[in-house]
Amino acid sequence: MKLTTEPNKINRRAFVAAVASTAVALPALAQATSPQAEWVTQRKVANGPAVLPAVETSPPSSGRTASPITASQMHVGHSLMDRTIIGGSGYPDQLYVQLLKSLDLGTPDLDIDTVAGAELLYHQQNATSGWTDTADYEVITVTERADTYPFAMYNTYTGWINTFRNERQTSMDTWFSRSQTVGNGGAGCDFFYHTCWPGKEDYSGVGDTQDITPTSWRQKIGLDETEQLAIAERAEDNVAGDAKIWIIPGTRLMMQLYDDAEAGDMPDITDAADFMEDGNRWWADDIHQGPIMAMAYAYLFLYVIHGIDPRGLAYTGFDMPLEPTAAEASYIQNTVYNLVQSYPRAGVVA
């Protein structure tokens, strides 16, 4: 096993000082309602309505064959990926690898290519290892930068935001295509998109350019997930073949955590405000996972990629700065299980 990232350092393999200035030609996005809109439902949560796409945001998956623990895998993204994969100490055997090893199902073969705040386009333009070494991997997971610009918020705007959205779409198309034509020695690899969330204060938008102005972070992440799924579905349509982009539903898990906290269903948390204000166990700062949340996301990756039910798995002994209580462990394991069971785009259930 090798890791191309180091704890507490931005410098990664093939890291360069600045984003390349090469212009990228981008096709225009069709200014039409996403296919998801037909299934969008409204849920009331604290501070206003949250747009929550129903589970069937696209035709249900037919399921996929789970990857073995020993499958060669590359995880590409930024610091939110770091918090899931390398959330513990004891480099290079960090949280996710320690979790895999605890199962005694073989030796994990895992690399990670992350740069703080990076878009997928950055990794491509700067030829980081996640881009250049695609052929070496049977599994590739990617995450895009957290500043999502949902169509529902900006559908009548034609300036820089749409250019930005076009760029994000082109990046997903390009990475997915490369995974199928170059990945796994040219045979194609399983490709996963880990959806992520913005900072707690980053929800109101960019001023008078938008059609909808979210009144809460919870509402914004619901809009973000709709956009993220639309990007994945368009990439599937744009890339030849019938391969799928499997979703690691990070945004949906965050919605579930918030809603459970508001309902009083999260151990030792009073409500959503209490959850959002936590700066020790659940949250590390305004956006990054604390140790308990990092463990939840490690279980999510494990279940989606390897098909291993997280319920009853170990939750201590991973060199974490704080370990879950028995109640917290039971909660996050069951929450991840129930979410993935009801989310066909993850590929675990048909």
Side-chain angles (χ1 to χ4, degrees):
M1 180 193 68
K2 58 179 180 176
L3 295 178
T4 58
T5 183
E6 297 181 44
N8 304 316
K9 291 185 180 180
I10 293 176
N11 190 26
R12 308 292 195 257
R13 179 180 175 182
F15 177 82
V16 296
V19 177
S21 58
T22 306
V24 178
L26 302 170
L29 279 179
Q31 295 303 303
T33 303
S34 160
Q36 282 89 319
E38 298 179 19
W39 293 286
V40 169
T41 59
Q42 295 284 333
R43 288 181 59 188
K44 289 287 184 179
V45 297
N47 302 318
V51 178
L52 179 67
V55 169
E56 296 79 16
T57 51
S58 70
S61 76
S62 58
R64 59 176 286 273
T65 301
S67 300
I69 296 297
T70 54
S72 56
Q73 51 188 291
M74 166 61 83
H75 303 274
V76 182
H78 45 71
S79 56
L80 293 180
M81 186 76 84
D82 281 344
R83 288 281 176 161
T84 296
I85 303 299
I86 60 172
S89 60
Y91 178 83
D93 291 339
Q94 312 265 345
L95 173 59
Y96 187 60
V97 175
Q98 289 182 357
L99 178 60
L100 296 181
K101 285 184 173 181
S102 74
L103 303 170
D104 198 24
L105 294 173
T107 302
D109 180 8
L110 182 149
D111 292 347
I112 183 167
D113 174 22
T114 57
V115 177
E119 303 170 89
L120 288 176
L121 182 61
Y122 176 93
H123 291 276
Q124 177 185 344
Q125 288 181 329
N126 291 283
T128 65
S129 58
W131 177 259
T132 59
D133 298 344
T134 304
D136 296 344
Y137 300 103
E138 299 165 89
V139 170
I140 292 179
T141 74
V142 301
T143 192
E144 188 54 274
R145 204 167 70 181
D147 53 339
T148 303
Y149 295 86
F151 181 80
M153 288 178 64
Y154 302 102
N155 67 81
T156 62
Y157 188 69
T158 58
W160 68 269
I161 289 174
N162 278 358
T163 299
F164 203 71
R165 293 176 71 247
N166 291 344
E167 179 184 288
R168 293 287 174 84
Q169 184 66 59
T170 300
S171 289
M172 187 61 68
D173 293 355
T174 303
W175 277 83
F176 180 43
S177 176
R178 185 172 175 82
S179 76
Q180 300 309 300
T181 58
V182 178
N184 194 19
C189 63
D190 282 343
F191 185 79
F192 297 84
Y193 175 22
H194 170 42
T195 60
C196 66
W197 53 93
K200 299 174 191 175
E201 303 301 321
D202 298 333
Y203 62 80
S204 60
V206 293
D208 59 1
T209 61
Q210 61 228 55
D211 300 279
I212 295 175
T213 301
T215 58
S216 70
W217 178 82
R218 172 62 177 82
Q219 184 185 8
K220 174 61 162 59
I221 63 174
L223 294 167
D224 282 356
E225 192 198 41
T226 300
E227 177 74 8
Q228 292 160 346
L229 293 176
I231 288 172
E233 290 182 5
R234 284 191 294 261
E236 290 173 339
D237 290 340
N238 293 341
V239 172
D242 56 4
K244 292 190 70 67
I245 296 176
W246 306 105
I247 303 297
I248 301 176
T251 305
R252 180 62 69 93
L253 177 55
M254 190 63 76
M255 286 190 274
Q256 189 65 57
L257 295 175
Y258 184 103
D259 291 350
D260 285 350
E262 181 63 14
D265 294 333
M266 182 179 283
D268 300 318
I269 294 292
T270 303
D271 53 24
D274 193 20
F275 168 65
M276 295 292 277
E277 291 168 4
D278 170 84
N280 186 32
R281 303 186 70 78
W282 291 96
W283 294 94
D285 52 36
D286 179 65
I287 188 171
H288 294 100
Q289 308 97 304
I292 311 307
M293 193 184 292
M295 181 68 75
Y297 278 88
Y299 288 137
L300 180 65
F301 271 55
L302 178 71
Y303 198 15
V304 173
I305 297 172
H306 302 292
I308 296 174
D309 183 344
R311 296 175 299 174
L313 294 185
Y315 60 89
T316 61
F318 299 124
D319 299 324
M320 298 291 284
L322 289 171
E323 293 183 330
T325 65
E328 288 170 334
S330 177
Y331 166 72
I332 59 177
Q333 289 175 355
N334 280 282
T335 298
V336 167
Y337 173 82
N338 291 330
L339 169 60
V340 172
Q341 283 290 309
S342 64
Y343 205 94
R345 287 283 334 211
V348 174
V349 297

